[in-house]
Amino acid sequence: MENSKLQAHGAILAANTIFGLGVPVTKLLLDEWVSPMTYMATRSLGAAIVFWIIASLMKPERVERRDLMVIMAGGLMGFVVSQTLTAWALNYTSPVYFSLIATLTPVAVMLMAALFIGERITGVKFLGVMLGIGGAVLMVVMGQTSGTGSNDLLGIALAILSVMTWAVYMIITRKVATKYQPVTQMKYVFLVSAVVTVPLAWPELADQRLYSAATFGWDGAIEMAFIVLAATVLGFFLIPYAMKFLSATTVSVYTNLQPMVASFVAIAIGQDIMTWDKPMAAILVLLSAYIVTVATSGEKSKKTTETAN
């Protein structure tokens, strides 16, 4: 069991490193090659094809009808809605601001847990929430004056919505994630995602630089291949695997790695510049996530002790 937990930590560490790299790569794609909806349709269809091919080589796993509905609803919430909001957010704001908002995932998980399953918000957790809000407000204020995005306020708002919907996905799929293989879950997640996004993107496909013979470029193709194969197939395979052995809160803590990776790469390739508000906002949101995580872990340990007694 300990070995499995160690592997789960390694899986979620790798997933968030990949997701961190995916933020500036997505920004490159949206700026130069595809629209947000075409980006989503390509990810969905590409991942669906890969996962169904892998599943065909494995022993079939029967999924209960009720669980299938949860998996597909989770796919709509956690991929179609959340990742579409992500694409639009990066269309308007910088990778650094977006990745800092993504760090608030543990706070979002706590708030959604309070809303959907009645988890109590203690005074310590409330302090964590306020620090996170302070970091977000700082980003909004500074984004209005020194932000590098076309509309940082809108981008940050969309990023917050993306994080909230991702938190809902983690909560509603937690139990199902422990019952089925990751490939089984993901083939249905991306099937329903492709069914939704491909028809929406089809009318604009011919206008996209990546899919036009006159403007096609291998750098765009390589960037999209990374998003589909690494940031989608591999990343979304690793998450349900990790959730078999780790709590949703623990999984969400690793999201803190994303802004470090995304910010370093984005600044290195000239997508953003370092200003005083970014490290200050990072301190606030990371401290917020840490307080909420420690408080949640402490409550779970106390409940476990009380149950044992």
Side-chain angles (χ1 to χ4, degrees):
M1 184 64 178
E2 286 301 318
N3 189 46
S4 296
K5 280 194 172 184
L6 184 62
Q7 291 176 352
H9 281 284
I12 202 64
L13 177 67
N16 279 284
T17 300
I18 292 169
F19 289 151
L21 291 171
V23 173
V25 174
T26 294
K27 183 67 173 175
L28 288 172
L29 284 166
L30 296 175
D31 286 348
E32 301 177 19
W33 298 104
V34 292
S35 68
M37 188 51 66
T38 301
Y39 165 85
M40 283 300 301
T42 305
R43 286 187 73 182
S44 300
L45 184 59
I49 292 171
V50 173
F51 275 117
W52 278 89
I53 290 174
I54 295 174
S56 69
L57 303 175
M58 299 172 60
K59 181 180 178 180
E61 186 175 27
R62 182 180 176 276
V63 180
E64 296 178 17
R65 184 184 296 273
R66 182 178 178 179
D67 291 340
L68 181 60
M69 293 299 102
V70 172
I71 290 171
M72 296 181 81
L76 290 173
M77 181 66 69
F79 187 76
V80 175
V81 178
S82 179
Q83 295 302 302
T84 298
L85 288 168
T86 290
W88 279 107
L90 284 168
N91 205 42
Y92 292 109
T93 193
S94 72
V96 174
Y97 279 151
F98 172 81
S99 58
L100 287 174
I101 292 295
T103 306
L104 292 172
T105 298
V107 179
V109 170
M110 181 203 70
L111 291 174
M112 294 299 101
L115 180 63
F116 288 103
I117 59 178
E119 183 176 294
R120 189 169 65 93
I121 298 179
T122 63
V124 174
K125 289 182 178 180
F126 181 75
L127 173 62
V129 171
M130 289 299 101
L131 287 172
I133 291 174
V137 170
L138 177 60
M139 283 181 267
V140 169
V141 172
M142 293 305 298
Q144 294 290 81
T145 57
S146 61
T148 57
S150 60
N151 188 334
D152 284 293
L153 179 59
L154 177 57
I156 290 170
L158 292 171
I160 291 172
L161 289 176
S162 173
V163 168
M164 288 295 185
T165 52
W166 177 254
V168 173
Y169 162 75
M170 293 184 70
I171 290 171
I172 66 177
T173 61
R174 177 67 181 93
K175 291 183 179 180
V176 173
T178 63
K179 295 176 64 175
Y180 303 104
Q181 294 296 324
V183 171
T184 301
Q185 297 175 61
M186 292 300 104
K187 73 177 186 179
Y188 289 114
V189 165
F190 289 106
L191 175 63
V192 69
S193 298
V195 168
V196 172
T197 58
V198 170
L200 294 175
W202 189 261
E204 63 184 36
L205 192 64
D207 299 325
Q208 306 303 304
R209 292 189 65 221
L210 185 61
Y211 296 110
S212 170
T215 55
F216 174 83
W218 280 107
D219 49 345
I222 292 171
E223 290 163 9
M224 184 61 80
F226 173 82
I227 291 298
V228 172
L229 298 177
T232 306
V233 174
L234 183 57
F236 278 81
F237 172 85
L238 293 172
I239 287 174
Y241 171 79
M243 289 180 70
K244 281 178 171 289
F245 307 101
L246 304 174
S247 69
T249 302
T250 300
V251 170
S252 68
V253 168
Y254 278 94
T255 308
N256 297 339
L257 182 63
Q258 290 186 34
M260 291 184 281
V261 175
S263 299
F264 177 81
V265 174
I267 293 172
I269 64 177
Q271 287 183 338
D272 207 339
I273 57 174
M274 178 59 71
T275 53
W276 71 268
D277 63 298
K278 293 182 176 71
M280 183 61 68
I283 291 172
L284 289 173
V285 297
L286 288 171
L287 186 58
S288 169
Y290 174 78
I291 290 173
V292 169
T293 302
V294 170
T296 302
S297 298
E299 289 179 0
K300 288 183 178 179
S301 297
K302 183 178 180 181
K303 287 181 180 179
T304 302
T305 303
E306 291 175 350
T307 301
N309 293 335

